[in-house]
Amino acid sequence: MPRERFESNPEYFPMNVKGGRNPRGNLCVSNPDAVRLVAENALAYVREYPENSFLHIWGADVLKGAWCSCSECKPLSPQLQYMTVVNAIAAALEKVSDRVPVAYLAYHETIDPDPGLRPLDNVSFEWAPRERCYVHAIDDRACKVNARYHESLKRYIDLFDGRGHVFEYY
């Protein structure tokens, strides 16, 4: 979402829990014009950089507060709000290119999948369990921290029909 649009279109931006719009968050996913603009910008990016073979769509890198809390978005989890954007981009991209899949980043607020996620066939997950324990293997049953992350990974694999990657950077 172009931040310079905040002055002219604050309704494109997420509403915080106190009722104000936030120019530094993601977007209001219940606003079709905001979602369309983001999808159009993603398509422009793909056209400008045709060498890309995978389109990463990442939300703001914060916990609790980057997604919208307006009356229409509030019932949607961060995962479902994010999937709305990713699927809109994937649907637009599918019309112009069958070679560029779209990435949904499972990270921070989206690390635990919402059971209602319905990714399009050209969407894969990038699983980034940043806060996991690196002393133990992810499936080590003795590790209380990694149990959550291992379950998360298994659920993402199921929800995305195996289309996914582990994305670790330590």
Side-chain angles (χ1 to χ4, degrees), residues 9-130:
N9 298 101
E11 71 278 8
Y12 287 6
F13 292 82
M15 183 174 284
N16 62 38
V17 292
K18 294 180 183 176
R21 296 284 177 176
N22 179 3
R24 290 182 292 275
N26 292 309
L27 66 146
C28 178
V29 301
S30 64
N31 185 310
D33 292 331
V35 174
R36 181 186 44 71
L37 178 62
V38 168
E40 287 172 359
N41 286 342
L43 288 177
Y45 182 85
V46 168
R47 282 190 297 273
E48 190 172 335
Y49 298 98
E51 68 275 11
N52 286 328
S53 60
F54 199 51
L55 182 62
H56 292 261
I57 304 299
W58 293 6
D61 187 10
V62 297
L63 283 170
K64 298 181 182 181
W67 291 103
C68 191
S69 293
C70 77
S71 61
E72 291 181 56
C73 292
K74 191 173 185 162
L76 302 173
S77 66
Q79 297 89 328
L80 292 175
Q81 289 190 46
Y82 181 36
M83 184 57 72
T84 298
V85 175
V86 170
N87 274 345
I89 292 167
L93 191 56
E94 196 171 48
K95 293 175 185 174
V96 298
S97 172
D98 61 352
R99 65 168 188 79
V100 182
V102 181
Y104 169 102
L105 182 65
Y107 173 76
H108 277 331
E109 282 188 309
T110 59
I111 194 68
D112 293 311
D114 186 298
L117 290 176
R118 299 294 179 264
L120 295 179
D121 289 343
N122 60 337
V123 176
S124 297
F125 71 89
E126 293 277 301
W127 186 70
R130 189 172 155 234

Side-chain angles (χ1 to χ4, degrees), residues 114-151:
D114 186 298
L117 290 176
R118 299 294 179 264
L120 295 179
D121 289 343
N122 60 337
V123 176
S124 297
F125 71 89
E126 293 277 301
W127 186 70
R130 189 172 155 234
E131 290 84 11
R132 81 170 187 90
C133 170
Y134 285 87
V135 173
H136 301 96
I138 198 70
D139 62 348
D140 185 337
R141 293 177 189 210
C143 182
K144 292 178 183 178
V145 173
N146 283 348
R148 168 190 175 205
Y149 293 104
H150 188 233
E151 277 305 307

